[in-house]
Amino acid sequence: MAAGGGLPGLLPAQSQLEYDLLDALAPQEKHSLVSQYLEKVDSRERDLRVPDFGGDLEWLNTEGPISLYKDLCGKVVVLDFFTYCCINCIHLLPDLHVLEHKYSDKDGLLIVGVHSAKFPNEKVLSNIKSAVLRYNITHPVVNDADATLWHELDVSCWPTLVILGPRGNMLFSLVGEGHKDKLFLFTSVALKFYKEKGQITDNKIGTKLYRDSLPSSALLFPGKVTVDNSGDRLVIADTGHHRILVVRKNGHILHTIGGPNSGRKDGSFSEAAFNSPQGVAIKNNIIYVADTENHLIRKIDLELERVNTVAGIGTQGTDKEGGAKGEEQPISSPWDVIFGNSVSGTHEDDVLWIAMAGTHQVWALMLECGKLPKGSDLKKGTCIRFAGSGNEENRNNAYPHKAGFAQPSGLSLASEEPWNCIFVADSESSTVRTIALKDGAVKHLVGGERDPLNLFAFGDVDEAGINAKLQHPLGVTWDKKRKLLYVADSYNHKIKFVDPKMKNCATLAGTGEASNVVGSSLMQSTFNEPGGLCIEQNGRLLYIADTNNHQIKVLDLETKTVSMLPILNTEIFDVVDSPFVQNNKMANVPRLPKSAPNIQLPSLTVTPGQTLQFLLRLSLPANTKLTEEAPSSWFLTAEGNEWLLQGQNPSGEIEDISHQPFIALQLPGNCLSSEAMLSVKACLYYCSKDSSACMMKGISFNQPLRIANTNQGSLAQVELTYSF
């Protein structure tokens, strides 16, 4: 146990130091005050020591467990008590990134993230791994799932920083965000103080970054997805790749904007840079983006192929009222955006509503001149708070400025009567709330509890109103056709639906387990922290950003099936003199051995424009594995019917036998014949696990297609099963 009862033992001396620092103006004077404080703290008869990390705790970004008193002896250590859902913890990470770039372990400084979960879902190591990758955390992180160290030190708030001296002795604590200057002052003076005493060591700490062990993927932590009014184009916030993708509904990429590295830059699509973008909204050829970690709203013009900034100044704002012109108005961690209408405006979609997670509010960006409920006339370009006091609460109120939100992360609009409201996924209160567009009144819909200060009323309960329980929901979308609201119940790994009239909330898809099963049954399909969702205007397809599975899932509300949207690069074809001339990718596919079985599949009736999805289910013999040095692959052929493959992805690798690819093909809108034969071929290289023998095997699945203008649904799935 820490002497003096943990952090309270630091309070008297540090409070006096902070009081003295208020009157100090010159940097030299501040350094002198901190040095005097350290002399006093260091000369105590008994250190305020921190207990060592438990030997059974799980670690990330290290070669193994770390001991405070063995490995970190001789270091100034910054303990960051955080939980990955917390926006304030996310706001602190850039300060820590700068600090660890300024001082390395050789300089005597090490940062250790102590993950102390709020939600049960956050105690699971695989979920923390995803967060470490998502937020580019490169220092060691320990999973203190039972919050042992949190309780030992009497920590009470996320985030809390505790700065330790080279003997594991507590020196300072900083509670909450916004203390960058003090953090840098305290650590720099502590390093100098203990170096002069000869107590700092320059040994390196063994690190092994989790991100270095991951395979590449088409998407990385996609946070949000939206669909245009035609239903033909999707916009995906490929958050981990710091880019925006515009794709056809079959997954073919039309535009790649920004990425793969984070940055902040306007300009052409190849020049533009984003930083962990989330919410996206599209109308015609204009897209608005919540550029979350740049604290900006960006505008993408697909015709001009340009990106420019329309709100925010590029650094985190603390203003909770707004009212300035967009590009002069500081904002904080916008998480979602949707179009809406002002009260008195003459233009449709003249307001962009913004879920401002960083200040726990909902804001508006005026796209034309207009007026908000209970507000005055506003000029075009004005960016202003609409609802939320800025206090992190679950407080409902008839006056929008007196209501309180807790990290609002998803928005959806129901403009028709009797709803006429914005639905809000209020993640940290685990609720869904409504904001009336008539007068701005904020009301409860489902989840949470009546005490506005209790942000721990979470769970997984299908019930009505306050009796329903959610766990950190991040997305909502309104189904105008069925008059239902769909909710991404993110930490329960489910998609739920809410009848706003009766306030009933029930599970639509997902088992509650974080995994990646695409099944014919909605209740058998699984997700992993889905962060966003949208529905096409005709009400058939629900698109889900399955964030930690790095996928977009497609839920067909009529056939009750879930499939994966393949992300297909259209650049693999050279369209030159003939529309069917392909580049060298097809020329390089392997020839199957003569012994390869030819499997004739039953004829399939399809319709022009429909997407076929082939699910490979190949099994290797016992005690064998794929050969890493010789890549296994699949490829498509359509002898005599090459028009089938125009604009398609004709081949790809099979990297992991336990996660075989989905092979997608969208039939052309104009088919050149009523019958065709499509072949799906696979070539596998595998060895016995002792590598004593290696083999090459092939297989061809031949799929006859009967093409008819009948309503077959938007997607047809075919399983291709074979055991070698």
Side-chain angles (χ1 to χ4, degrees):
M1 182 70 178
L7 295 186
L10 275 179
L11 275 177
Q14 188 174 332
S15 297
Q16 183 60 50
L17 169 65
E18 300 208 13
Y19 184 77
D20 294 340
L21 285 171
L22 292 174
D23 296 326
L25 298 176
Q28 191 173 353
E29 189 180 356
K30 292 180 179 180
H31 280 244
S32 176
L33 285 170
V34 177
S35 293
Q36 291 169 31
Y37 166 85
L38 287 173
E39 285 281 5
K40 182 179 175 183
V41 170
D42 197 62
S43 62
R44 287 179 173 178
E45 286 185 22
R46 187 180 176 196
D47 285 337
L48 285 172
R49 284 163 64 92
V50 173
D52 208 347
F53 305 113
D56 57 345
L57 296 182
E58 301 164 312
W59 286 82
L60 294 171
N61 289 341
T62 67
E63 293 174 346
I66 288 178
S67 165
L68 193 59
Y69 294 102
K70 293 178 184 174
D71 305 298
L72 303 185
C73 184
K75 303 291 184 192
V76 170
V77 178
V78 178
L79 300 179
D80 173 24
F81 287 87
F82 78 111
T83 185
Y84 71 76
C85 71
C86 165
I87 193 69
N88 311 92
C89 301
I90 296 168
H91 287 164
L92 187 62
L93 290 174
D95 296 348
L96 298 180
H97 284 316
V98 175
L99 185 65
E100 59 194 341
H101 277 98
K102 185 172 184 179
Y103 303 110
S104 69
D105 51 357
K106 285 186 72 67
D107 298 314
L109 180 80
L110 192 77
I111 298 170
V112 176
V114 184
H115 192 270
S116 312
K118 171 184 175 179
F119 293 99
N121 182 67
E122 295 177 316
K123 297 182 179 184
V124 181
L125 185 68
S126 60
N127 297 336
I128 302 170
K129 282 181 177 179
S130 294
V132 163
L133 182 64
R134 192 158 66 236
Y135 298 123
N136 195 29
I137 298 172
T138 55
H139 52 253
V141 173
V142 61
N143 180 16
D144 189 15
D146 296 325
T148 304
L149 197 56
W150 170 285
H151 292 304
E152 287 273 9
L153 297 189
D154 213 1
V155 177
S156 60
C157 176
W158 296 283
T160 292
L161 298 179
V162 180
I163 303 174
L164 309 179
R167 303 186 300 274
N169 48 319
M170 280 195 289
L171 303 176
F172 310 94
S173 71
L174 295 167
V175 177
E177 59 172 299
H179 303 298
K180 182 179 179 181
D181 291 344
K182 284 184 189 173
L183 172 63
F184 277 69
L185 174 65
F186 292 170
T187 50
S188 62
V189 175
L191 284 168
K192 182 174 183 291
F193 178 85
Y194 284 109
K195 271 182 183 172
E196 289 173 353
K197 286 181 170 287
Q199 294 182 25
I200 295 294
T201 60
D202 63 359
N203 62 299
K204 284 193 69 63
I205 305 299
T207 58
K208 183 180 180 183
L209 296 187
Y210 170 60
R211 68 184 185 193
D212 293 341
S213 66
L214 290 175
S216 60
S217 61
L219 299 175
L220 189 64
F221 300 111
K224 300 287 183 185
V225 60
T226 194
V227 61
D228 71 1
N229 287 338
S230 72
D232 292 333
R233 293 179 301 177
L234 297 172
V235 183
I236 301 167
D238 189 9
T239 308
H241 286 141
H242 310 288
R243 65 181 182 170
I244 303 299
L245 296 181
V246 182
V247 305
R248 294 195 191 279
K249 65 187 300 182
N250 67 345
H252 282 291
I253 297 173
L254 298 172
H255 301 282
T256 300
I257 308 154
N261 300 315
S262 63
R264 175 165 66 93
K265 191 175 182 183
D266 289 343
S268 68
F269 285 3
S270 58
E271 294 171 329
F274 302 88
N275 192 350
S276 299
Q278 290 280 347
V280 280
I282 182 171
K283 183 180 181 184
N284 300 325
N285 284 313
I286 299 296
I287 299 169
Y288 287 93
V289 180
D291 191 4
T292 304
E293 293 192 20
N294 274 330
H295 310 287
L296 298 174
I297 302 296
R298 315 290 288 282
K299 179 183 177 182
I300 298 171
D301 190 317
L302 295 177
E303 286 186 2
L304 299 177
E305 298 198 350
R306 300 286 298 177
V307 177
N308 67 294
T309 298
V310 292
I313 61 172
T315 56
Q316 184 192 342
T318 56
D319 183 358
K320 295 180 179 178
E321 294 186 7
K325 191 169 173 58
E327 53 268 40
E328 298 169 4
Q329 175 62 56
I331 61 175
S332 179
S333 298
W335 211 274
D336 202 7
V337 287
I338 57 167
F339 289 106
N341 297 325
S342 67
V343 172
S344 58
T346 55
H347 297 83
E348 190 182 10
D349 295 333
D350 60 352
V351 176
L352 189 74
W353 300 112
I354 306 167
M356 203 70 75
T359 53
H360 313 292
Q361 295 170 313
V362 174
W363 282 47
L365 175 66
M366 304 304 295
L367 304 180
E368 300 289 345
C369 296
K371 188 176 181 179
L372 300 181
K374 290 189 177 177
S376 54
D377 290 327
L378 297 169
K379 292 181 179 178
K380 179 180 178 179
T382 303
C383 190
I384 191 167
R385 177 264 304 258
F386 173 49
S389 63
N391 296 326
E392 188 175 9
E393 298 175 327
N394 174 22
R395 189 179 298 280
N396 302 298
N397 201 289
Y399 294 92
H401 292 181
K402 292 185 177 180
F405 295 94
Q407 214 169 301
S409 302
L411 302 175
S412 189
L413 182 75
S415 56
E416 69 273 22
E417 295 292 349
W419 320 112
N420 196 26
C421 71
I422 300 171
F423 293 103
V424 183
D426 197 37
S427 61
E428 281 292 279
S429 67
S430 295
T431 63
V432 176
R433 325 269 288 283
T434 62
I435 308 175
L437 292 172
K438 179 183 176 183
D439 56 12
V442 177
K443 297 179 181 179
H444 170 269
L445 185 60
V446 293
E449 71 139 77
R450 288 181 177 84
D451 178 358
L453 300 180
N454 182 2
L455 302 182
F456 287 79
F458 51 79
D460 184 5
V461 180
D462 289 354
E463 260 283 5
I466 209 88
N467 296 318
K469 291 292 178 275
L470 308 168
Q471 190 182 176
H472 201 76
L474 289 172
V476 281
T477 192
W478 175 243
D479 183 348
K480 190 174 181 179
K481 177 181 175 182
R482 298 174 184 83
K483 302 197 171 20
L484 295 174
L485 182 75
Y486 300 106
V487 181
D489 191 4
S490 306
Y491 284 8
N492 283 326
H493 316 292
K494 288 183 174 183
I495 306 302
K496 294 186 176 179
F497 65 95
V498 177
D499 173 359
K501 186 176 180 181
M502 305 301 295
K503 291 193 171 185
N504 289 326
C505 178
T507 298
L508 174 69
T511 65
E513 294 293 320
S515 61
N516 187 19
V517 175
V518 180
S520 55
S521 161
L522 297 186
M523 291 304 185
Q524 290 175 345
S525 297
T526 60
F527 307 91
N528 193 341
E529 291 192 16
L533 69 179
C534 66
I535 189 167
E536 60 179 3
Q537 201 166 40
N538 67 16
R540 173 153 191 173
L541 299 180
L542 184 69
Y543 295 96
I544 300 157
D546 194 3
T547 304
N548 283 3
N549 280 329
H550 316 296
Q551 294 172 351
I552 302 297
K553 296 277 178 60
V554 187
L555 194 158
D556 191 316
L557 291 163
E558 292 184 11
T559 63
K560 309 292 187 191
T561 56
V562 178
S563 58
M564 186 195 80
L565 180 76
I567 303 300
L568 307 174
N569 191 342
T570 56
E571 295 173 359
I572 57 172
F573 285 85
D574 293 330
V575 181
V576 283
D577 297 334
S578 162
F580 308 128
V581 174
Q582 300 169 13
N583 70 2
N584 290 332
K585 183 157 184 180
M586 281 303 293
N588 293 334
V589 298
R591 293 182 63 179
L592 298 185
K594 289 183 179 180
S595 59
N598 265 295
I599 296 180
Q600 293 297 126
L601 300 172
S603 181
L604 184 65
T605 300
V606 294
T607 188
Q610 188 178 26
T611 297
L612 306 183
Q613 195 173 71
F614 295 98
L615 316 179
L616 279 181
R617 300 280 189 264
L618 305 178
S619 303
L620 298 180
N623 298 315
T624 61
K625 62 179 181 178
L626 289 180
T627 308
E628 293 180 13
E629 295 78 12
S632 299
S633 61
W634 60 266
F635 52 100
L636 303 176
T637 61
E639 196 170 332
N641 300 114
E642 285 79 7
W643 53 269
L644 270 175
L645 302 181
Q646 181 186 2
Q648 308 288 339
N649 186 10
S651 63
E653 289 192 8
I654 301 173
E655 297 178 348
D656 185 345
I657 203 69
S658 62
H659 292 93
Q660 295 178 47
F662 298 89
I663 302 169
L665 176 140
Q666 184 177 29
L667 293 168
N670 295 314
C671 293
L672 301 186
S673 67
S674 60
E675 293 188 347
M677 178 69 77
L678 177 70
S679 295
V680 183
K681 303 182 180 185
C683 183
L684 299 183
Y685 297 88
Y686 61 89
C687 298
S688 57
K689 288 190 175 174
D690 61 4
S691 298
S692 60
C694 292
M695 289 138 279
M696 182 262 210
K697 296 283 187 181
I699 187 166
S700 178
F701 296 94
N702 303 314
Q703 177 65 72
L705 301 176
R706 185 179 294 115
I707 301 163
N709 287 313
T710 57
N711 184 14
Q712 299 291 328
S714 61
L715 183 78
Q717 288 187 328
V718 180
E719 287 203 9
L720 306 179
T721 304
Y722 189 78
S723 297
F724 288 99

